[in-house]
Amino acid sequence: MITACVAEQWNLELDEIFVNIGHRFGRVELRRRMRDYVRGLLAPVARKNSWQLAEQAGHATPDGLQHLLAGAKWNPDDIRDDLQEYVADRLGESDGVLIIDDTGFIKKGTTSAGVQRQYSGTAGRTENARSVSSPAMRRPGAGPWSTASSTCPRPGPRTANAAVRPKSPTSGSLPTKGQLARRIVLRSLASPLPIAWVTADAAYGQESRFRRMLEQSGVGYVLAVPKSQFTAGCPRIDGLFAQAPAEAWEKISCGDGAKGPRVYHWAAVRLPAVAEFDYQGEVPHRMRWALARRSIRKPDEIAYYLAYAPLETTVQELVRIAGTRWAIKECFQAAKNECGLDQYEVRRYVGWYRHITLAMLAHAFLAATAHQVREKGVAPMRQRGQSGSQWRRFGDSWQQNPAGVLDRTRRRDPPVLQ
């Protein structure tokens, strides 16, 4: 139950955020409009567009909030940098996991920047949509989720009406998913965010330049790859695991889902080292793995991963990192449901980017508030499960090693300010 005292404390903390970012806005009118906009995103407004947010704030017209998004002079990249510092201060811990994925914003028209007819995972079909590559960061120990840095638009091929579309900064070069992922990771590594791991789906993991960049940066990764993926000592990853004996597959939970622990059969193979990235002088300090996740009910459904990790990393830890990737979907959904991430009504890229940045600021505040409640309130429920043995392959022999204990924390929805 949310008491008046707790609500007042949250209100003071939100005001502190506004004070910290207020210098990014040159005029007091803009600071007030920004405050009203973010408070409206946190309020129980049915449709979080400029009209209804203006009504929530008591404005006679939405002109002021629309000017905040479209015409005012302020740089959303500065707010993004402040947001990264806020997340690092409130939620940052060592061994954080940066998750990269894309989400879709369904749009009826075709004249908004970055919108075209394309397949959208959000709708599950081909729709007029804007596709966006975005990161999220997770604290170790199943902590709360929060958006970690700004999103990057990913426009598709040009269409017949491209000449009349408002262009985004990336619409000329049409970057690939791998290029966007490299930009996101480099920007995040330059921020105060404590990032030790990166995980992503096969659309990003198959990019060799993306993997090399992570290795050069000294960041561990567990990246999904297609079954035809090849790498050092691995002509095709599916053929490599086709040779694995039956005892190499072990049941391991990679985290809790909506229906409890997500248990699969997992197998891991150690790959040959690469002297350029895996050694410090003559001493190895990193190792490479190939992992496979097989469905228990449907053994023909197998997903594959490439991993790059410190020498002391266990297979159970790699499985845990791989399992964190699904949570970015929850992060997207929470930001859309609670903070109106997809409820913008702007056509130009500038207005869209500003709305997204302020929505991520609101979502980060909710995540930090939920974490504070969890730390000071009732301890979260935990499930403890123990797997059997784990098999690793070194050279031509299979060795058995004891498995660790996976400790997961159930995720709770962040509170909504009234």
Side-chain angles (χ1 to χ4, degrees):
M1 182 177 180
I2 301 177
T3 64
C5 181
V6 172
E8 180 62 23
Q9 178 64 30
W10 291 350
N11 187 58
L12 293 176
E13 293 178 1
L14 187 59
D15 285 339
E16 182 181 353
I17 295 177
F18 294 150
V19 171
N20 291 336
I21 67 175
H23 67 285
R24 304 297 188 182
F25 302 85
R27 301 176 58 186
V28 65
E29 293 86 355
L30 293 181
R31 292 193 287 271
R32 291 172 178 172
R33 291 168 186 170
M34 176 273 298
R35 177 198 62 191
D36 292 341
Y37 197 90
V38 175
R39 287 188 178 277
L41 293 176
L42 293 168
V45 180
R47 182 74 180 173
K48 296 180 180 179
N49 52 48
S50 296
W51 287 88
Q52 296 196 26
L53 293 182
E55 182 180 356
Q56 170 71 21
H59 296 187
T61 68
D63 296 347
L65 298 185
Q66 290 175 347
H67 177 70
L68 174 70
L69 297 182
K73 291 184 179 180
W74 61 280
N75 190 349
D77 288 341
D78 295 335
I79 306 301
R80 178 201 66 207
D81 296 340
D82 294 336
L83 170 60
Q84 291 174 333
E85 294 183 6
Y86 175 78
V87 171
D89 179 62
R90 297 301 180 92
L91 302 173
E93 286 187 3
S94 60
D95 297 333
V97 182
L98 185 71
I99 312 165
I100 300 176
D101 201 355
D102 51 78
T103 187
F105 298 87
I106 307 300
K107 299 294 289 184
K108 295 300 182 182
T110 59
T111 57
S112 298
V115 173
Q116 71 164 15
R117 192 162 182 81
Q118 57 186 306
Y119 177 81
S120 171
T122 303
R125 60 182 181 274
T126 301
E127 284 280 358
N128 284 337
R130 181 201 304 264
S131 184
V132 176
S133 296
S134 176
M137 192 189 75
R138 187 193 185 193
R139 298 176 62 237
W145 299 88
S146 71
T147 331
S149 63
S150 68
T151 55
C152 295
R154 185 173 56 84
R158 295 182 182 273
T159 56
N161 65 343
V164 299
R165 284 192 190 173
K167 295 182 180 179
S168 67
T170 59
S171 60
S173 58
L174 296 177
T176 64
K177 283 189 174 185
Q179 290 172 334
L180 289 178
R182 292 199 296 274
R183 296 178 190 176
I184 290 172
V185 171
L186 290 175
R187 179 189 300 156
S188 300
L189 291 177
S191 74
L193 296 171
I195 298 170
W197 295 91
V198 173
T199 185
D201 65 17
Y204 301 94
Q206 66 182 348
E207 290 271 357
S208 60
R209 293 181 180 179
F210 178 50
R211 300 196 305 271
R212 292 295 173 267
M213 185 271 294
L214 294 175
E215 294 165 8
Q216 291 172 347
S217 302
V219 179
Y221 63 74
V222 181
L223 302 172
V225 293
K227 64 180 181 181
S228 59
Q229 183 69 42
F230 63 91
T231 185
C234 178
R236 274 183 65 109
I237 196 168
D238 59 345
L240 181 65
F241 283 97
Q243 306 172 17
E247 60 268 22
W249 297 90
E250 291 292 330
K251 286 185 178 181
I252 304 178
S253 170
C254 57
D256 285 347
K259 299 181 180 179
R262 300 192 304 270
V263 179
Y264 296 90
H265 281 135
W266 290 83
V269 177
R270 186 169 180 178
L271 300 176
V274 177
E276 181 181 0
F277 302 107
D278 303 347
Y279 283 80
Q280 288 183 345
E282 299 295 329
V283 180
H285 74 110
R286 296 273 178 171
M287 58 183 175
R288 298 170 182 272
W289 294 91
L291 287 81
R293 188 197 75 221
R294 188 177 67 188
S295 173
I296 296 177
R297 294 185 178 182
K298 300 178 180 179
D300 293 336
E301 295 183 359
I302 304 178
Y304 302 97
Y305 300 83
L306 291 178
Y308 180 73
L311 292 178
E312 64 275 9
T313 305
T314 64
V315 174
Q316 287 75 28
E317 178 70 4
L318 297 178
V319 170
R320 183 188 71 84
I321 299 299
T324 62
R325 182 169 60 87
W326 285 286
I328 194 173
K329 302 298 184 182
E330 299 178 6
C331 181
F332 286 144
Q333 195 62 40
K336 291 178 180 180
N337 292 342
E338 305 294 342
C339 305
L341 185 70
D342 60 341
Q343 296 177 18
Y344 58 92
E345 290 185 355
V346 293
R347 290 186 175 180
R348 296 177 60 234
Y349 170 81
V350 172
W352 171 82
Y353 187 29
R354 290 177 172 183
H355 168 83
I356 292 294
T357 303
L358 294 179
M360 288 194 299
L361 176 64
H363 184 248
F365 170 73
L366 288 183
T369 302
H371 170 63
Q372 183 181 26
V373 171
R374 186 181 293 106
E375 291 292 319
K376 295 182 178 180
V378 180
M381 296 177 59
R382 292 181 180 268
Q383 283 190 346
R384 186 176 298 272
Q386 186 171 1
S387 59
S389 60
Q390 180 56 250
W391 292 81
R392 303 178 181 179
R393 185 179 181 179
F394 298 91
D396 297 329
S397 63
W398 293 88
Q399 301 180 6
Q400 191 175 18
N401 296 273
V405 176
L406 297 180
D407 195 6
R408 316 290 332 121
T409 304
R410 292 189 179 273
R411 176 184 178 277
R412 295 184 178 181
D413 293 333
V416 179
L417 294 181
Q418 301 295 328

